[in-house]
Amino acid sequence: MVIMMRAVLAATALALSLPTAAYAADQPAAVPQVLPMGAAVSALPLAAEDRTGYQRTSFKHWNAGEIPADGCNTRAEVLLSEAVEYPEIGPGCALTGGVWWSYYDDTTVTDASKLDIDHMVPLAEAWDSK
């Protein structure tokens, strides 16, 4: 949840910084503009989706993490980095304990299995919409 909120905020900041023709006409192209949400969304380009060249196998699913020898995959690495109270790391990077804070509903989460750490947009959709 924490990671998804950060990705949403990053995507919103990107969308809000895209200039539209009306705003860009008065500003140098190199200066990012903060736009109202409707103007930012209107500035997004529209094009036909194209899956040419997409192969799911080109994208690794949970990789070995920063230290492959510790047994922690990417999911565990994210959980460790986002913990408000650090969990204990057992053999094979089994995480026990720990506390995380949910930006979405302002609650704490003590069961890591209740946290979604995944793609905000499915890979094939992101590829099609590049």
Side-chain angles (χ1 to χ4, degrees):
M1 289 189 234
V2 171
I3 300 306
M4 291 188 349
M5 184 59 177
R6 286 186 180 170
V8 167
L9 290 174
T12 301
L14 174 61
L16 290 174
S17 68
L18 293 172
T20 62
Y23 287 92
D26 297 334
Q27 301 294 325
V31 177
Q33 300 296 307
V34 176
L35 304 174
M37 182 60 81
V41 170
S42 296
L44 294 172
L46 297 178
E49 293 185 343
D50 179 13
R51 194 157 300 179
T52 304
Y54 172 78
Q55 294 180 15
R56 176 62 181 93
T57 55
S58 297
F59 300 92
K60 293 181 181 179
H61 192 59
W62 305 112
N63 71 24
E66 289 183 26
I67 306 169
D70 72 1
C72 293
N73 62 20
T74 302
R75 177 182 168 73
E77 297 282 357
V78 170
L79 289 169
L80 291 168
S81 71
E82 295 294 324
V84 174
E85 290 180 26
Y86 210 72
E88 291 192 30
I89 305 171
C93 198
L95 303 181
T96 55
V99 176
W100 295 266
W101 182 66
S102 168
Y103 291 92
Y104 291 112
D105 51 10
D106 193 25
T107 60
T108 56
V109 179
T110 57
D111 181 356
S113 70
K114 302 290 184 194
L115 297 169
D116 289 322
I117 300 171
D118 207 342
H119 307 285
M120 291 299 295
V121 176
L123 291 171
E125 178 63 27
W127 184 277
D128 292 352
S129 302
K130 59 185 180 260

